[in-house]
Amino acid sequence: MFKTQVTDRLLRAARRSLGMLKSINPTRQAASLGRQNRLVRQALLELDAALEKGDIARLEYLLGLLHLSYTFLDETTGQRVHQKLGPVLRKIYQRGGNDLEARTASTAPLAYFVSYPRSGNTLATRLAAKATQGQVFSAMTEGYAPFSKCIYPKNYPLPRLIKDHVAHPHYRNDRCVLVVRDGRDTVISLAFMTLQNGLHNFANKSELAEFIRWASKSYVFGDWATHAGNLMQLLTGPDKLLVRYEDLVASEKPFLGIVDFFDPGNRLPRTHLSRLFTDRDMVAERIKSRPDVNAQWGFGRTFEPDSMFHEWSLNRQGSSWRQAWDAAAKRAFHETGATELLMEFGYETDPDWWRH
């Protein structure tokens, strides 16, 4: 009885998706839609045949592919596909087959990329996606191209890199790239981003300690120390790769390690990967060319010497916390429990650094 109900829901969802998506003109949009458009066309071509044959496994695959394309489809068709199909597909896939505690299995490379915000996750995922022709998804519901263990096809046709800022315990048995950065540099970059988002008004060096306390109590992802502790817990599970941001920007070796870990057995030419790493700054250059993004990232802006962002703006990829932190900020950061984690990740050797 339950299987019949699931089959009926699959068929109804497939018919609804087919009706809405057939109004897309793939040929006209091909130049701008790129790879994602080809996936949509693939689903459209096969959906009729799967419906006719009653191939439930194939329908699951096609509907999952379309679900993972929601954000893209919404932007390009204006039909609000996500709102119309979302509730239906959630009911279909939330039937116990993809337990949050289970390992995420996939025939194509799949891994979670987890970091505290402003720690280099975007760089790591974009570089790895370029190298493997993969797609970047978000494990956060408010993010782009949302991904969930409860709603995904195991036989998705491309590698998937799922970005998250929460080190969930249920990732313990999944393949994960864990990206960490010295929290003392991360904090300043985070302060700028959250200031731009209107979440607080801390901007002067003398207010950095207040920002650190604010993040501990009010920031959605909490403080750096708590997050770093959760990363350490995940490291005890299988298939985990820890990458320090500072190492990632310094040489190609950590990047090559990410590709081999994410896509084991790949035969990608090392010369190709080296070229991708050398061209990594093109990501920042593209960001700088977009005025709408510049406001968020602050490229091209100048800050007064008493601003906590003055040194950071002059050396974004490097370390500038020593010039920006006063004694109160050091103490506040230490009191979150950060010192022990700084030493665990090799960022500090002196347990009394915060006293100097």
Side-chain angles (χ1 to χ4, degrees):
M1 180 67 179
F2 176 71
K3 184 175 181 180
T4 301
Q5 292 175 343
V6 170
T7 301
D8 289 344
R9 288 200 296 269
L10 275 167
L11 294 174
R12 286 198 299 271
R15 292 189 180 100
R16 291 179 66 186
S17 62
L18 184 63
M20 281 187 285
L21 294 172
K22 275 192 171 179
S23 63
I24 302 174
N25 185 335
T27 302
R28 178 175 59 82
Q29 297 179 336
S32 61
L33 304 187
R35 187 187 309 116
Q36 185 75 53
N37 180 64
R38 292 195 293 275
L39 294 177
V40 174
R41 282 189 288 171
Q42 175 184 331
L44 290 174
L45 289 171
E46 297 186 30
L47 203 52
D48 269 332
L51 280 167
E52 185 176 342
K53 296 177 182 178
D55 187 342
I56 302 304
R58 194 61 183 162
L59 284 172
E60 282 189 316
Y61 164 81
L62 296 170
L63 292 170
L65 186 152
L66 294 174
H67 174 82
L68 291 172
S69 301
Y70 273 164
T71 300
F72 160 83
L73 292 170
D74 287 347
E75 292 177 354
T76 56
T77 67
Q79 295 188 49
R80 308 307 300 162
V81 177
H82 183 277
Q83 291 183 1
K84 294 176 182 178
L85 289 183
V88 178
L89 291 183
R90 286 192 181 91
K91 290 180 181 178
I92 291 170
Y93 285 101
Q94 289 176 341
R95 65 175 194 270
N98 296 321
D99 191 324
L100 283 178
E101 299 297 328
R103 182 182 179 87
T104 304
S106 176
T107 54
L110 186 153
Y112 289 89
F113 283 65
V114 186
S115 80
Y116 192 63
R118 316 307 294 166
S119 297
N121 205 336
T122 297
L123 176 63
T125 51
R126 289 190 182 183
L127 282 175
K130 279 182 173 292
T132 60
Q133 296 297 298
Q135 287 183 294
V136 179
F137 295 97
S138 173
M140 297 166 281
T141 56
E142 72 279 6
Y144 51 87
F147 179 93
S148 170
K149 277 189 175 185
C150 289
I151 311 173
Y152 76 97
K154 287 184 169 64
N155 296 318
Y156 195 70
L158 293 173
R160 283 168 289 176
L161 307 88
I162 302 101
K163 181 178 177 179
D164 202 349
H165 287 318
V166 180
H168 291 292
H170 63 251
Y171 290 162
R172 174 177 170 78
N173 293 318
D174 290 315
R175 184 176 294 271
C176 296
V177 176
L178 309 177
V179 185
V180 67
R181 185 180 187 183
D182 189 327
R184 294 166 293 192
D185 288 309
T186 300
V187 159
I188 297 177
S189 183
L190 178 66
F192 181 78
M193 183 187 74
T194 48
L195 175 66
Q196 293 302 106
N197 290 339
L199 300 181
H200 61 81
N201 295 311
F202 308 121
N204 294 328
K205 289 180 179 179
S206 61
E207 297 175 315
L208 184 52
E210 294 179 68
F211 170 75
I212 291 169
R213 287 189 285 267
W214 172 86
S216 294
K217 296 178 181 178
S218 303
Y219 184 47
V220 63
F221 297 115
D223 58 66
W224 180 87
T226 300
H227 189 280
N230 292 335
L231 285 184
M232 291 295 295
Q233 289 296 315
L234 279 184
L235 278 172
T236 62
D239 282 344
K240 301 296 184 291
L241 176 67
L242 178 68
V243 178
R244 300 200 321 172
Y245 168 79
E246 295 81 1
D247 299 330
L248 181 61
V249 298
S251 77
E252 68 178 33
K253 186 176 180 179
F255 166 56
L256 298 178
I258 290 175
V259 174
D260 289 337
F261 175 81
F262 170 63
D263 187 10
N266 74 78
R267 298 180 180 178
L268 300 167
R270 284 310 189 246
T271 53
H272 169 68
L273 296 178
S274 295
R275 187 167 58 253
L276 285 176
F277 180 79
T278 302
D279 295 341
R280 68 193 182 281
D281 288 339
M282 292 177 63
V283 173
E285 291 303 319
R286 281 194 292 270
I287 291 172
K288 293 178 183 179
S289 67
R290 294 176 53 188
D292 59 317
V293 179
N294 269 339
Q296 185 75 19
W297 290 66
F299 285 113
R301 286 187 57 179
T302 58
F303 300 91
E304 295 298 322
D306 62 348
S307 168
M308 73 170 76
F309 312 119
H310 176 66
E311 287 82 9
W312 166 78
S313 68
L314 302 175
N315 185 22
R316 293 186 181 238
Q317 286 193 344
S319 179
S320 58
W321 71 266
R322 292 173 181 81
Q323 293 77 37
W325 285 49
D326 60 15
K330 293 177 183 178
R331 176 178 288 275
F333 195 60
H334 168 76
E335 289 176 350
T336 66
T339 295
E340 181 180 349
L341 279 307
L342 288 172
M343 298 180 72
E344 287 279 359
F345 289 116
Y347 290 120
E348 190 57 69
T349 58
D350 181 4
D352 292 321
W353 69 272
W354 56 279
R355 298 182 186 273
H356 306 316

